[in-house]
Amino acid sequence: MSGDVLQTPLQYLKGVGPRKAADLKKAGLHTVEDLLFRFPMRYEDRSRLQPIIGLKPGQMAAVSGEVLHCHVQHTRRANFRLFTALVQDASGQIQVVWPNQAFLKDVIRPHQHVVLFGKVELWGSRGLQITDPEFETVDEPARQSARSDASGEPAAGAVAVRLHTGRIVPVYERTGSVTTHMQRRFVWQALEQLPEDLFDPVPTEILAAHGWPSRRTALVQAHFPDAHAPVDALNRFDTPAQRRLIFEDFFVFQAGLALRRHENAQVRKWRVPVVTDATRAAARAVLPFKLTDGQREALGEIVADMQRAWPMQRLLQGDVGAGKTIVAVLAAIVAMENGYQVALMAPTEILAEQHFRTVMRWLEGTRYRVRLLTGRVTAAQRRDLLPAITRGEIQLVIGTHALVQEHVAFRDLALVVIDEQHRFGVIQRGALAAKGGNPDVLVMTATPIPRTLALTECGDMDVSVIRGLPPGRKPVKTIVKPDARRDEVYALIRAEVALGRQAYIVYPLVEESEKVDLRAATAMAEELTAVFPEFRVALLHGRMKGDEKDAVMRAFAGGTLHVLVATSVVEVGVDVPNASVMVVEHAERFGLSQLHQLRGRIGRGTHESTCVLVYQAPWSDDARERLRAMASSHDGFVIAEKDLQIRGPGDFFGTRQSGLPQLRAGDLTRDAALLELAFSEARARVEGGRLTPAVQAYVRSVWQRQFGLITVG
Ligand code: ADP
Ligand code: MG
């Protein structure tokens, strides 16, 4: 493969010393390939040289001409000098000023030809001036009269290649000490070293089908476009060259996911043979209500997966309250009826305990053996529990993710259900597969993941979606209030509690300001106790001991507490149908998806519910946009798309731990269609055995390098 130039470390480029190499490294740029896949932020059309006579104040213009005279000029400020030049073309003259760049006297000399790009300004009453333009000196007057267009082609012969002016110019984001100017030079140098037969991971049929250029051409055009390239399209990242590279980026990533999926699918120890009438009857017996169509469909897809020769890798998406738990439990019953073990994992102990209570309620009177395994299980209990799991006596183990981390050995674990995927990532899922036996894996997420993000985060999985909510739910009314109108919020709480309902008041709790946040929540609990002497108010926060938390949650769930002041530990999954008010304090500090989660805590019963988003004035534009979006939509999928737009994919899951891979060129919002295409092409090629060994090897090497932790194959 002659693509090795791309793997050259950047310090081997001329002009990249140790300092710049270190700066580039800090920005994640190690190799020539990294550099070339770091696209310009935008492009400026500096190709059309303008006659000086026609320049207007305020316009950005490219000008070419001869330096008539130039000199360093002192100013009244000590150490502040200007370098000025008078430049002339066939049509007229213009004054050019570079503040504080006296060294230019060694670069720009009289009679030299220069190309300039900058903003035209009025120069006193005497004419026009350009201040601090980008410029290049030209050895030879490139026979460009002021009227002709400059060619953007790398010029041959005596005329030096112009990178910064007189062409469509790439503008890069500054990287530490590496300016956009330097980066242009490095990129150009790297492009010149690319071999003609540069290895291309994108199959030629795909290139042909879309009219896309080769990899080498695309890289050149994405950085130094031809003179006739459409600048608007370039700035939308919508030229064939750019689209091809964005596709490549997605394709390589998706091919990695598809390869992993394919390889995971090879070995399987346990499999549910058939679903018999007895199994169905067993499931029906525990069913507390009629499943919605969406639930039935999802269950159908899951059970079909469980009967296949290869393990299930399925994501179950459904809005908060859509009723995912029962679907998972019914799938668990199918596995248990076939004599297998099941693990159900939640991100927090509170949630694991809640699942345990729910499941125990549903399975009451059945013969299934269910146990809870969290960090709170004592050593003594563990001594009995773990061997019982290993012997297969326990059929369903409910716990936190510690279930994976701890060395819990199962006898025949056939199904793993992971609740609340957004606390979990691609990487952790890898750890699960390593548990051996390749169990069926069902991941449930209550944060509806926009399709594009699902494809990146979970492109190795199949997706089931439960649309809509179980019948009888009333939409939650959402209002936004400034902190100053707190009295109205209290009045609402009082009225609802008087009707027998309960209220949540949620405080943000972020690590950086944990102590302050906790104090605020504590103070609020005290204030409310004073405001509502007739109500029972309690505080719930993550620092409390497990059994204290449990006691508070139980009291709230049982209706003996009226108002629960909580830090965002209640964010996910907690189910108290009688609660009808959710007050979110400092709502401006929460992300949209988080707010949607919180709002999903209410409106779970048959009562009218209200969510009040209280913000601390003044709010930022961003906060206003978020809170208004919340008030105007109830659809988790719509909100998730909006959240992705506002926050970008990196922040979407709120944590770094999500293991969201860094894409180099693509943008999940802008390039959704290319991502879909990459997903289907990659999967079809991998499943059909049509991905060449060379491309496979390349994909593996990129995954190894970029995503380190994950190994494919
Ligand atoms: P989530 O999808 O957010 O995990 P849950 O599984 O906690 O939702 O379900 C939310 C609530 O809706 C629970 O109280 C559950 O018992 C109830 N529920 C689920 N499915 C149905 C249904 N088909 N009919 C009536 N209630 C349902
Ligand atoms: Mg849930």
Side-chain angles (χ1 to χ4, degrees):
M1 202 194 312
S2 48
D4 286 346
V5 173
L6 290 178
Q7 297 325 316
T8 311
L10 283 171
Q11 64 261 30
Y12 294 113
L13 287 181
K14 221 169 67 201
V16 182
R19 157 112 195 271
K20 293 197 184 87
D23 280 359
L24 291 167
K25 226 171 233 151
K26 241 185 261 155
L29 309 180
H30 303 265
T31 62
V32 165
E33 178 170 306
D34 297 336
L35 183 73
L36 292 184
F37 272 86
R38 189 162 188 266
F39 288 174
M41 310 184 271
R42 63 190 159 82
Y43 301 81
E44 280 179 6
D45 188 356
R46 306 178 183 177
S47 64
R48 258 162 316 160
L49 296 175
Q50 316 243 6
I52 291 175
I53 189 86
L55 296 179
K56 304 247 165 19
Q59 80 178 119
M60 299 295 294
V63 165
S64 162
E66 182 187 351
V67 176
L68 290 185
H69 52 77
C70 54
H71 64 283
V72 175
Q73 201 178 316
H74 292 264
T75 68
R76 255 173 276 167
R77 257 166 67 197
N79 295 328
F80 189 73
R81 288 173 298 170
L82 306 172
F83 183 73
T84 64
L86 191 64
V87 173
Q88 169 177 282
D89 72 0
S91 72
Q93 299 176 351
I94 190 162
Q95 164 92 354
V96 187
V97 178
W98 285 272
N100 230 353
Q101 292 171 55
F103 65 87
L104 288 180
K105 69 181 189 316
D106 300 325
V107 182
I108 296 176
R109 298 238 158 80
H111 307 302
Q112 189 159 34
H113 275 83
V114 289
V115 180
L116 307 162
F117 179 82
K119 188 166 178 187
V120 179
E121 296 164 340
L122 275 176
W123 176 37
S125 57
R126 281 178 290 178
L128 296 175
Q129 165 176 306
I130 300 184
T131 304
D132 209 14
E134 290 215 41
F135 75 95
E136 270 168 299
T137 57
V138 185
D139 297 338
E140 179 75 2
R143 284 293 118 226
Q144 284 148 353
S145 77
R147 263 160 291 125
S148 74
D149 276 358
S151 153
E153 295 295 331
V159 181
V161 174
R162 292 201 312 257
L163 305 184
H164 315 292
T165 54
R167 65 173 311 131
I168 296 173
V169 170
V171 180
Y172 300 97
E173 199 178 330
R174 191 190 171 102
T175 315
S177 62
V178 180
T179 61
T180 186
H181 224 84
M182 296 176 198
Q183 196 161 331
R184 265 177 227 140
R185 292 207 311 269
F186 301 153
V187 168
W188 182 265
Q189 218 187 112
L191 289 171
E192 284 198 315
Q193 289 173 21
L194 292 183
E196 283 300 331
D197 60 342
L198 181 68
F199 173 76
D200 192 339
V202 180
T204 43
E205 311 93 77
I206 297 182
L207 295 182
H210 297 273
W212 285 337
S214 75
R215 195 180 197 205
R216 186 176 182 280
T217 306
L219 284 169
V220 171
Q221 291 302 318
H223 289 280
F224 291 98
D226 283 347
H228 49 76
V231 179
D232 290 344
L234 279 166
N235 278 318
R236 288 194 311 269
F237 292 80
D238 202 22
T239 63
Q242 291 163 311
R243 288 173 61 78
R244 183 232 116 94
L245 292 169
I246 292 166
F247 175 85
E248 175 187 326
D249 195 23
F250 289 147
F251 181 75
V252 169
F253 182 73
Q254 291 296 332
L257 284 177
L259 282 170
R260 182 168 83 180
R261 178 188 154 82
H262 190 67
E263 277 147 25
N264 281 347
Q266 303 303 311
V267 258
R268 177 183 180 77
K269 218 155 156 190
W270 299 286
R271 167 182 169 192
V272 170
V274 280
V275 176
T276 62
D277 284 346
T279 315
R280 278 194 205 94
R284 243 194 318 274
V286 307
L287 198 58
F289 33 63
K290 196 165 167 289
L291 290 184
T292 64
D293 290 349
Q295 286 172 317
R296 223 188 345 266
E297 237 167 77
L299 182 63
E301 289 167 342
I302 292 163
V303 173
D305 279 358
M306 292 169 73
Q307 299 176 67
R308 293 218 165 85
W310 58 90
M312 164 164 70
Q313 302 174 69
R314 186 168 288 277
L315 179 71
L316 176 57
Q317 285 202 53
D319 212 338
V320 208
K324 297 180 289 293
T325 320
I326 188 69
V327 172
V329 168
L330 293 174
I333 288 173
V334 171
M336 293 191 290
E337 281 295 314
N338 282 276
Y340 297 128
Q341 289 177 299
V342 180
L344 169 57
M345 305 196 298
T348 65
E349 300 205 334
I350 287 194
L351 284 169
E353 286 156 16
Q354 181 187 289
H355 275 321
F356 182 67
R357 281 193 296 272
T358 308
V359 171
M360 291 305 270
R361 205 172 62 228
W362 284 338
L363 300 188
E364 206 168 14
T366 65
R367 61 205 154 75
Y368 306 116
R369 293 175 304 272
V370 186
R371 289 288 182 283
L372 180 67
L373 178 57
T374 62
R376 292 174 52 209
V377 171
T378 63
Q381 291 167 318
R382 227 163 258 264
R383 259 196 302 280
D384 293 334
L385 185 52
L386 295 184
I389 293 173
T390 309
R391 286 193 302 268
E393 290 159 18
I394 310 299
Q395 292 168 286
L396 173 57
V397 184
I398 299 177
T400 55
H401 298 158
L403 268 182
V404 195
Q405 281 126 27
E406 282 184 55
H407 301 282
V408 184
F410 287 81
R411 190 190 64 185
D412 44 21
L413 180 63
L415 171 65
V416 175
V417 181
I418 306 170
D419 196 10
E420 314 297 352
Q421 149 78 6
H422 64 296
R423 302 270 168 116
F424 227 64
V426 172
I427 292 164
Q428 287 98 322
R429 281 207 307 276
L432 252 185
K435 283 245 93 166
N438 271 317
D440 284 322
V441 175
L442 178 67
V443 179
M444 305 196 289
T445 168
T447 307
I449 304 175
R451 166 88 180 152
T452 51
L453 211 49
L455 286 184
T456 6
E457 173 83 342
C458 320
D460 53 342
M461 310 189 91
D462 298 303
V463 179
S464 296
V465 178
I466 304 179
R467 293 265 172 204
L469 302 177
R473 300 276 174 78
K474 298 226 172 67
V476 176
K477 191 170 139 203
T478 302
I479 48 186
V480 180
K481 277 202 190 306
D483 183 59
R485 287 165 64 188
R486 179 168 294 286
D487 284 355
E488 297 168 32
V489 181
Y490 291 167
L492 173 76
I493 295 174
R494 176 165 283 129
E496 285 293 309
V497 176
L499 286 173
R501 306 284 92 81
Q502 292 162 280
Y504 291 104
I505 301 187
V506 174
Y507 265 83
L509 188 70
V510 290
E511 251 168 68
E512 304 89 74
S513 54
E514 193 177 328
K515 279 211 182 99
V516 181
D517 287 339
L518 194 51
R519 258 204 313 273
T522 311
M524 174 54 87
E526 282 161 10
E527 183 184 325
L528 287 169
T529 309
V531 173
F532 303 122
E534 70 277 32
F535 300 156
R536 276 181 303 275
V537 180
L539 177 66
L540 180 73
H541 62 80
R543 283 290 186 82
M544 285 162 65
K545 287 213 197 72
D547 40 355
E548 287 172 348
K549 268 194 275 193
D550 200 33
V552 171
M553 256 341 281
R554 265 175 206 278
F556 192 68
T560 52
L561 278 178
H562 301 118
V563 180
L564 181 66
V565 180
T567 55
S568 46
V569 286
V570 294
E571 182 193 328
V572 269
V574 179
D575 188 23
V576 181
N578 191 49
S580 65
V581 181
M582 165 66 65
V583 178
V584 183
E585 296 280 349
H586 286 285
E588 76 279 0
R589 282 164 57 181
F590 288 89
L592 263 181
S593 292
Q594 236 181 339
L595 289 172
H596 183 66
Q597 284 286 318
L598 287 171
R599 183 168 60 183
R601 299 304 103 218
I602 54 170
R604 297 170 85 86
T606 46
H607 321 292
E608 298 276 355
S609 303
T610 311
C611 173
V612 191
L613 306 174
V614 180
Y615 67 90
Q616 212 72 40
W619 54 6
S620 64
D621 290 351
D622 187 69
R624 177 179 334 181
E625 193 184 347
R626 251 179 297 137
L627 300 191
R628 296 232 165 116
M630 276 305 291
S632 64
S633 178
H634 286 93
D635 185 333
F637 285 89
V638 172
I639 287 172
E641 290 288 351
K642 183 94 191 158
D643 203 17
L644 179 62
Q645 272 166 33
I646 297 176
R647 287 205 283 177
D651 274 349
F652 183 82
F653 290 101
T655 63
R656 282 275 175 87
Q657 310 144 19
S658 76
L660 189 70
Q662 277 287 295
L663 289 161
R664 300 180 296 187
D667 175 307
L668 295 185
T669 311
R670 186 188 62 205
D671 307 317
L674 283 175
L675 177 59
E676 286 286 351
L677 182 67
F679 167 74
S680 51
E681 287 285 1
R683 216 189 239 191
R685 271 155 212 280
V686 168
E687 310 266 296
R690 287 183 291 125
L691 204 63
T692 65
V695 175
Q696 283 190 36
Y698 177 78
V699 167
R700 283 174 214 281
S701 75
V702 170
W703 268 72
Q704 206 84 57
R705 241 186 358 260
Q706 264 179 276
F707 314 116
L709 274 165
I710 310 168
T711 47
V712 187

